[in-house]
């Protein structure tokens, strides 16, 4: 087996292991739902609806999936329960494709300009700083010159954490003292990155939602200041969510989407939960693509999201 094939196999094994709790939960529920049944009928669909909702796929997305399967059953006249897994995989992959979720093969970036600027948002405790550190590691490993901006000046711990990650990964961190203007930090970060011909800039922001107006104003100011250095910045607004919180992650996603334009999602801590279905529901409800998923504590356990591999791991390939 070649090096590329070995890498892909290891990546798939990490994905399978990371989603194991969700897969076992979904499988056991699906098995009970189709027990003694030979064909997909209204009763099986009712049970499937319950399986998806209790797997944190979300009500609206679940109903959408059920409607699609109903249409398929009506069209084909007869669908056996043995086909259900394959049908589920197809419909969920199609749903994710409609939300512009692309299957990225590597850690390349658009080459139209640089640096490529990622503004990271999310509440405290979801793994935001860890995700930033792992992103920096992956981009650096791919040969990119990376700069980090510590614009969460609301907490001294946040600046310290991102500084530790910068040292660990070996990338520069632009920071100021606690309580400094976050927009000023973002401005300095982009100026420094531009002057030093960086490929990618990742800027942290304060993880609080208690004052939506304040958060909205702060994010707007950061974006406006960024544009003074790079008119196209930010290229990406990445929302980090903790997958293990299930429906609470849904609520956080909706609140952030209400105050800023989210362009991509990173869903973390999927290895420790049976709530992996939340990935499907959040992407569908927000109409925002999932770009990264966190599957463990290791530096390489942040993966580029691949919708087909994800549904294959979730429902059995």
């Amino acid at each position: 087996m070649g090096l590329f094939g070995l890498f892909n196999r290891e990546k798939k094994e990490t994905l399978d292991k990371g989603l194991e709790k969700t897969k076992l939960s979904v499988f056991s529920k699906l098995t009970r739902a189709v027990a003694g049944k030979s064909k997909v009928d209204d009763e099986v669909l009712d049970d499937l609806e319950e399986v998806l909702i209790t797997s944190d796929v979300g009500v609206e997305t679940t109903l959408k999936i059920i409607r699609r399967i109903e249409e398929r059953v009506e069209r084909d006249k007869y669908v056996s329960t043995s086909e259900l897994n394959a049908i589920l995989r197809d419909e969920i992959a199609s749903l994710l494709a409609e939300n512009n979720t692309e299957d990225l093969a590597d850690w390349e970036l658009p080459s139209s300009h640089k640096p490529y600027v990622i503004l990271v948002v999310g509440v405290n405790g979801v793994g935001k700083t860890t995700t930033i550190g792992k992103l920096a590691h992956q981009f650096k490993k791919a040969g990119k010159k990376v700069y980090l901006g510590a614009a969460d000046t609301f907490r001294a711990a946040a600046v310290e954490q991102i500084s530790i990650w910068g040292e660990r990964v070996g990338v520069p961190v632009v920071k100021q003292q606690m309580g400094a203007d976050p927009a000023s930090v973002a401005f300095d970060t982009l100026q420094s990155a531009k002057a030093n011909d960086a490929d990618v800039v990742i800027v942290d922001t304060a993880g609080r939602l208690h004052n939506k107006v304040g958060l909205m104003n702060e994010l707007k100011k950061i974006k406006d200041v960024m544009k003074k250095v790079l008119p196209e910045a930010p290229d990406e607004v990445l929302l980090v969510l903790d997958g293990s919180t299930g429906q609470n992650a849904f609520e956080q996603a909706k609140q952030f989407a209400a105050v800023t334009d989210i362009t991509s999602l990173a869903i973390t801590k999927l290895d420790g939960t049976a709530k992996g279905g939340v990935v499907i529901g959040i992407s569908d409800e927000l109409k925002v693509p999932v770009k990264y998923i966190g599957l463990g504590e290791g530096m390489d356990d942040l993966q580029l999201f691949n919708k087909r591999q994800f549904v294959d791991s979730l429902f059995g390939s």
Side-chain angles (χ1 to χ4, degrees):
M1 179 183 290
L3 186 62
F4 188 69
L6 180 65
F7 170 76
N8 276 336
R9 190 181 72 179
E10 289 176 352
K11 181 182 173 185
K12 183 66 167 62
E13 287 172 354
T14 301
L15 182 62
D16 288 343
K17 186 179 178 183
L19 294 174
E20 189 172 12
K21 290 185 178 180
T22 300
K23 180 178 178 177
L24 289 173
S25 174
V26 171
F27 256 163
S28 63
K29 291 172 184 175
L30 271 177
T31 301
R32 289 195 298 271
V34 301
K37 298 278 189 178
S38 60
K39 71 171 186 173
V40 175
D41 56 18
D42 288 344
E43 188 177 345
V44 168
L45 288 172
D46 285 344
D47 290 340
L48 176 60
E49 183 178 317
E50 184 179 345
V51 168
L52 294 173
I53 289 173
T54 56
S55 300
D56 284 87
V57 172
V59 175
E60 292 301 317
T61 303
T62 292
L63 293 176
K64 195 177 293 185
I65 293 167
I66 295 296
R67 279 196 299 271
R68 289 177 176 220
I69 296 175
E70 283 175 337
E71 289 168 5
R72 194 155 172 173
V73 170
E74 187 176 340
R75 184 182 69 237
D76 298 346
K77 303 304 178 190
Y78 181 91
V79 175
S80 69
T81 52
S82 62
E83 296 175 83
L84 195 53
N85 259 10
I87 292 170
L88 266 174
R89 292 204 305 272
D90 289 345
E91 295 301 339
I92 291 171
S94 296
L95 203 64
L96 289 167
E98 289 167 17
N99 302 332
N100 298 316
T101 295
E102 299 178 33
D103 292 338
L104 301 174
D106 53 41
W107 293 83
E108 287 304 309
L109 294 164
S111 57
S112 57
H113 66 271
K114 69 177 193 178
Y116 184 86
V117 180
I118 304 172
L119 183 66
V120 183
V121 300
V123 300
N124 298 327
V126 298
K128 182 160 57 77
T129 308
T130 300
T131 298
I132 290 169
K134 289 178 179 179
L135 275 174
H137 166 69
Q138 293 285 13
F139 283 125
K140 187 183 178 189
K141 197 167 73 167
K144 308 298 179 190
K145 190 172 184 179
V146 185
Y147 267 66
L148 301 181
D152 181 0
T153 58
F154 186 70
R155 294 183 309 133
V159 177
E160 184 182 349
Q161 285 165 6
I162 203 165
S163 297
I164 290 169
W165 269 104
E167 290 175 15
R168 187 177 175 189
V169 177
V171 300
V173 178
V174 178
K175 58 188 177 182
Q176 295 180 14
Q177 72 277 13
M178 181 185 169
D181 181 6
S184 174
V185 178
F187 183 85
D188 287 353
T189 305
L190 264 63
Q191 274 205 322
S192 183
K194 186 179 179 182
N196 288 281
D197 200 32
D199 296 297
V200 58
V201 178
I202 309 170
V203 178
D204 190 16
T205 61
R208 59 193 193 276
L209 264 175
H210 67 270
N211 182 345
K212 290 185 189 177
V213 174
L215 178 67
M216 181 168 59
N217 290 339
E218 184 175 291
L219 291 174
K220 183 180 184 302
K221 185 178 178 183
I222 290 172
K223 288 179 181 178
D224 289 346
V225 165
M226 281 181 166
K227 291 184 189 304
K228 292 180 179 178
V229 184
L230 297 166
E232 56 280 323
D235 297 281
E236 186 175 330
V237 179
L238 175 68
L239 172 62
V240 181
L241 297 165
D242 178 351
S244 70
T245 62
Q247 293 304 303
N248 190 41
F250 266 99
E251 291 309 310
Q252 287 179 18
K254 289 174 186 173
Q255 289 181 60
F256 269 100
V259 299
T260 193
D261 294 324
I262 308 298
T263 63
S264 60
L265 300 171
I267 316 251
T268 68
K269 307 183 186 181
L270 290 173
D271 55 306
T273 182
K275 300 175 184 284
V278 75
V279 172
I280 303 160
I282 289 175
S283 176
D284 178 56
E285 289 208 17
L286 290 187
K287 300 295 180 239
V288 173
V290 180
K291 199 165 184 180
Y292 313 103
I293 51 174
L295 299 163
E297 297 297 323
M299 293 272 274
D300 292 304
D301 288 336
L302 183 75
Q303 286 195 4
L304 290 166
F305 183 72
N306 180 295
K307 56 183 177 292
R308 175 52 69 177
Q309 288 179 359
F310 179 83
V311 294
D312 280 351
S313 288
L314 205 58
F315 295 101
S317 56

